[in-house]
Structures are given as structure tokens and as C-alpha cells.
Amino acid sequence: MATLETEAFNNHHDSSPDRHKTIEEKSERDKRIEDWLPITSKRNAKWWYSAFHNVTAMVGAGVLSLPHAMSQLGWGPGVTILVLSWIITFYTLWQMVQMHEMVPGKRFDRYHELGQHAFGKKLGLYIVVPQQLVVEVGTNIVYMVTGGTSLKKFHDTVCPSCKNIKLTYFIMIFASVHFVLSHLPDFNSISGVSLAAAVMSFSYSTISWAASIDKGVQKDVQYGYKSHSTAGTVFDFFNALGSVAFAYAGHNVVLEIQATIPSTPEKPSKVPMWRGVIVAYIIVALCYFPVAFIGYWIFGNEVNGDILLSLEKPAWLIAMANMFVVIHVIGSYQIYAMPVFDMIETLLVKKMRFEPSTMLRFIVRNVYVALTMFIAITFPFFDGLLGFFGGFAFAPTTYFLPCIMWLIIYKPRKFGLSWWTNWICIVLGLCLMILSPIGGLRTIIIQAKTYKFYS
């Protein structure tokens, strides 16, 4: 009996150095992977990186469809919904910044890691990852369409007598930029692109409302609902809700942006991050409200799905604004693609045990860009897609998922201010999530009747 015990004891001690070795190798590999993955590789961002990354993520091309959304909502509901959305999303963004480091010594660098902490390992993944992927991939597809459409408008404005070129080709031209840019390894390496994009978003927003004022209120302007049937009005209203939800979609990349900021117990990352967010939200207000309200005031219910289409003159200014949109969307595409690259690369390297290499990254990212390009070419129903995706995935991840996580993790006092605030956001977000895809789907169906593939 004793010899058996001694043998077991010896066996245990013999294997011990090997065990230590494998643990060390494992942690060494994990560290190497962390240093290679796009979100966690560099943590030296400053607070202003947070500001322009957030502006680039938030002020999408969705801002140009806000006057049209206003025409479907009407003055009262339109102003209320836009301002309410700004307040709610500002609050939920604050919650996410706070939750990034609520566990001492640990950082939730990705949205799904926070979800896993709140809902559990498995359930957190199932709740967050599909929604985050729909938002990010959906946004990338919509931006492919936007980039191509704006390039086409630029071409048509600069050279009205030129031969008509299909939208398909313009989307391909736009995509070609991303076959190059998507090989920038991490968030910090795209900060230059992102800064340019943030400046452009502010520029074209300003051009669109200033040019509207210059044009003056149209002769027979009308502010009533355009649709002649009650059903049409209701569906348009739902669709507009989705467009608004799409306009406030920056939350899906906020933790990933915060992950690039250095953090110590004395100087947590939430302080510089929050400073950047405040600056970003002031810029968002300066972009959104003038464009939405002035655009609707000038053109009434005849305003186009994209305000720049309603402004035909002066041609040089409109051409310039369209070019600004293209540059901005290039940056936005990269900001939304980065977390997707991170997810795919994590899966390949951690789960499927691929070696982290430049070749792997090259293949993954080219395939992704090609895929988003192909889908964009096939289904370019821009505003319908906005409404559909806007409600379906943007509303949860932006309006109420942060509130649910806050209630689960912090357990605020029942019927206290924090408790009520979160529940109001959850109820409003749920309404948005249920109603807006209905309008979006109807718009897609109507447009699909007259649509010719690859036109």
C-alpha cells in the first residue's frame, strides 16, 4: 500500500515541472494572442482618440436621412423622438463606460465580455454576439451602399453629360479602398482615418443645413404626412423610428474603443473615455439637430431620403459634400469592421488553434470586405435597410441592453431613480425594436417590386 502511495506521490512530483511548463506555455501563447488581436494589442490612446472614434462611429450617413425621418414623424413626435434618443443613448453610453472596469483588475474589452459577466458565460455570448454582428456587419453593408451612392452622385454632379455608370461599379470602386485599409492591424492604427472621417461628418452636416437655409423655404411647402392612407402613414412612422435608431448606433464599438486607452487603479480609463464621449456627443447634437430640423423646415414632406439629393445647387458644394460623405464612410466602415475582425481572428486563433500570422489576417479581412461588397451590390435598398436593421439590432444594443446589464450587475434600489430610469429606457427601447422593423420591411417590399438586380 505504502509503495503505491509513494509511487503516486513521485508520479505527481515528476509531472509537476511539465505541468508548470504547459501552464507557462499556455499563458505565453495567450499573451502573444492578446498582443496580436486588434482590440487589445495597443493601449496607448488619448482621450481625444475616444472623441473622434465616437464621432466617426455615431455620426454615420444616417444623419442625411434624418430630415426624411422628420417628414414621416411630423414636427411634434419628430423633435421629441430625436431629443429623447439623444438623452437616452447618452445615458446608456455613460453606463457602458462605467461598466468597462467595474471588476477590480479586469477590463471588459469587448461588448460580449460584459454580456458574459452579466448574463453568464454561454447566455451572454448568445445574447450579445448575434446582435453585435448584425449591427456591425449590417452597418458595413449599408456603408458600402452609401459610399457607392455618394461616389455616383459626385460623378453625376461633376459631369452631368458623362455616360451613365451603374451603381454596382461605384460600390466596387468604394470597396477597393477597403481591400487596402482593412489590413491596418488595430484601432490605434486607424486613428488618422478616423480623425479625417470625424472632420468630414461635421463638414457635410454643416453643408447640408447651411445650403438648405441658403435655398430658403420652398414655395408650396407642406408639413403634413405624405402618405394618403392611414396604414401608409403608420408604416412610414415605424420606418422613421428605425432611421433614428440607426443614427444613434455607436454603442456597439464603445468598449472596444475604451480598450485602447491605458488604465491604472489611480487613473482608470473611464475618466479620459468619458471626456471624449462628452465632446463627441456635443458634436453629434451639432450635426443631427440642425440637419433634421432645418432640412424638414425648408423642404417639408417633399424632402428626399438623402437631404443632399434635395439640394441640387450649387453643384460644386453638393459634389464636395458627397465627397466628404465618401471619406467619412471609409473611416466609419473601418471602425465597425475592427470588432468583427477581432471576433473572427479570436475564433480562429483561440478556438481553432491557428497560428497568429499576417497571412491569416490577410485572408480573413479580404474575404470579409469582398462579402460585404457582394451583399451591398445585390441589395442596395438603402433607407428600407436602415429601418429594418435599425430596429432589429440597433435598438437593443444601444437603447436597452446596457440598462438590463446595469440592473443585473449593480442591482439599484427598487423604485429608486436609477431603477425607474433604466426601466423607462428598456420599455422605450423594446417599443422601438418591435415597431421599426415592420416599417423597414414594408419599404423593402415596396422598393423590391420595381428593383432590377445589379442595375
Side-chain angles (χ1 to χ4, degrees):
M1 186 73 186
T3 49
L4 276 176
E5 277 175 14
T6 318
E7 211 172 310
F9 180 79
N10 287 343
N11 281 347
H12 172 73
H13 273 268
D14 286 346
S15 64
S16 199
D18 294 344
R19 249 183 59 231
H20 276 304
K21 205 172 169 187
T22 48
I23 289 168
E24 270 172 28
E25 276 172 10
K26 196 175 172 205
S27 64
E28 188 63 36
R29 178 180 155 84
D30 283 349
K31 191 179 177 322
R32 209 169 74 244
I33 288 171
E34 287 294 303
D35 290 344
W36 181 76
L37 288 171
I39 303 294
T40 47
S41 63
K42 286 197 191 91
R43 297 194 191 264
N44 53 3
K46 305 282 185 283
W47 73 265
W48 53 86
Y49 283 44
S50 145
F52 57 72
H53 280 330
N54 275 301
V55 170
T56 303
M58 190 82 67
V59 186
V63 64
L64 299 174
S65 65
L66 288 178
H68 187 246
M70 282 288 296
S71 74
Q72 293 175 320
L73 295 167
W75 273 120
V79 174
T80 310
I81 287 164
L82 266 174
V83 175
L84 247 183
S85 288
W86 189 88
I87 295 166
I88 290 173
T89 55
F90 192 41
Y91 171 66
T92 53
L93 200 53
W94 171 79
Q95 289 181 312
M96 292 192 73
V97 172
Q98 293 296 319
M99 288 192 281
H100 181 80
E101 288 165 304
M102 62 196 164
V103 178
K106 184 171 169 44
R107 296 180 69 171
F108 297 110
D109 294 323
R110 299 164 180 88
Y111 204 143
H112 66 83
E113 290 174 8
L114 182 61
Q116 285 173 300
H117 180 72
F119 303 113
K121 273 265 186 291
K122 273 263 174 71
L123 187 62
L125 270 184
Y126 293 146
I127 290 175
V128 177
V129 171
Q131 294 196 41
Q132 205 183 358
L133 277 175
V134 166
V135 170
E136 284 158 1
V137 179
T139 303
N140 280 160
I141 294 164
V142 168
Y143 282 167
M144 277 280 180
V145 178
T146 313
T149 312
S150 296
L151 270 177
K152 183 172 165 57
K153 282 188 293 208
F154 174 77
H155 171 265
D156 295 348
T157 312
V158 171
C159 182
S161 55
C162 288
K163 181 173 172 276
N164 187 34
I165 301 173
K166 286 181 179 180
L167 176 62
T168 303
Y169 297 124
F170 283 109
I171 294 177
M172 285 177 176
I173 295 166
F174 179 75
S176 65
V177 180
H178 296 292
F179 282 113
V180 179
L181 281 184
S182 60
H183 299 297
L184 290 169
D186 51 46
F187 254 126
N188 282 2
S189 62
I190 58 170
S191 52
V193 182
S194 177
L195 175 61
V199 172
M200 290 302 144
S201 59
F202 188 69
S203 307
Y204 69 69
S205 301
T206 309
I207 287 176
S208 50
W209 65 258
S212 297
I213 289 180
D214 183 58
K215 206 171 172 101
V217 179
Q218 298 303 289
K219 262 209 311 280
D220 37 12
V221 67
Q222 288 181 326
Y223 299 112
Y225 293 119
K226 201 172 177 184
S227 182
H228 300 302
S229 66
T230 313
T233 305
V234 172
F235 280 125
D236 283 350
F237 192 92
F238 291 167
N239 191 37
L241 290 178
S243 299
V244 173
F246 180 81
Y248 290 99
H251 294 51
N252 289 279
V253 291
V254 73
L255 291 176
E256 286 82 350
I257 293 169
Q258 194 169 346
T260 62
I261 295 177
S263 190
T264 58
E266 299 76 49
K267 290 183 176 173
S269 66
K270 63 184 176 190
V271 179
M273 181 67 186
W274 182 238
R275 191 182 301 162
V277 168
I278 290 173
V279 172
Y281 252 75
I282 291 169
I283 295 171
V284 166
L286 291 175
C287 289
Y288 282 17
F289 300 144
V291 173
F293 305 152
I294 292 171
Y296 180 42
W297 172 55
I298 298 293
F299 295 104
N301 60 15
E302 290 302 314
V303 70
N304 237 302
D306 175 338
I307 178 109
L308 292 179
L309 286 178
S310 297
L311 298 160
E312 288 107 19
K313 291 183 173 53
W316 63 270
L317 192 67
I318 305 311
M320 196 164 78
N322 276 308
M323 211 58 223
F324 286 173
V325 174
V326 173
I327 296 168
H328 170 244
V329 175
I330 288 172
S332 284
Y333 183 98
Q334 289 302 320
I335 290 271
Y336 279 97
M338 205 51 87
V340 183
F341 295 153
D342 184 78
M343 278 186 210
I344 301 168
E345 286 164 15
T346 304
L347 179 77
L348 291 173
V349 176
K350 286 190 174 172
K351 286 274 189 290
M352 300 183 175
R353 315 290 293 174
F354 278 91
E355 266 308 301
S357 67
T358 315
M359 194 62 202
L360 179 71
R361 191 162 266 175
F362 182 79
I363 294 166
V364 164
R365 298 187 176 192
N366 278 344
V367 168
Y368 178 77
V369 174
L371 192 70
T372 52
M373 177 187 79
F374 174 71
I375 299 171
I377 288 169
T378 314
F379 307 106
F381 327 109
F382 180 56
D383 46 356
L385 286 174
L386 277 191
F388 189 65
F389 283 129
F392 211 56
F394 290 74
T397 49
T398 304
Y399 286 77
F400 65 86
L401 253 185
C403 297
I404 294 172
M405 293 195 233
W406 187 270
L407 290 173
I408 291 171
I409 294 164
Y410 285 102
K411 301 184 175 56
R413 189 169 53 84
K414 246 193 183 163
F415 307 115
L417 181 66
S418 172
W419 188 87
W420 275 114
T421 311
N422 284 305
W423 274 107
I424 290 167
C425 292
I426 291 167
V427 171
L428 290 174
L430 272 171
C431 294
L432 195 61
M433 176 183 146
I434 295 160
L435 299 176
S436 52
I438 303 169
L441 196 60
R442 178 176 171 272
T443 309
I444 293 172
I445 291 165
I446 289 171
Q447 289 182 341
K449 282 179 188 167
T450 55
Y451 177 69
K452 291 183 185 68
F453 274 101
Y454 306 112
S455 56

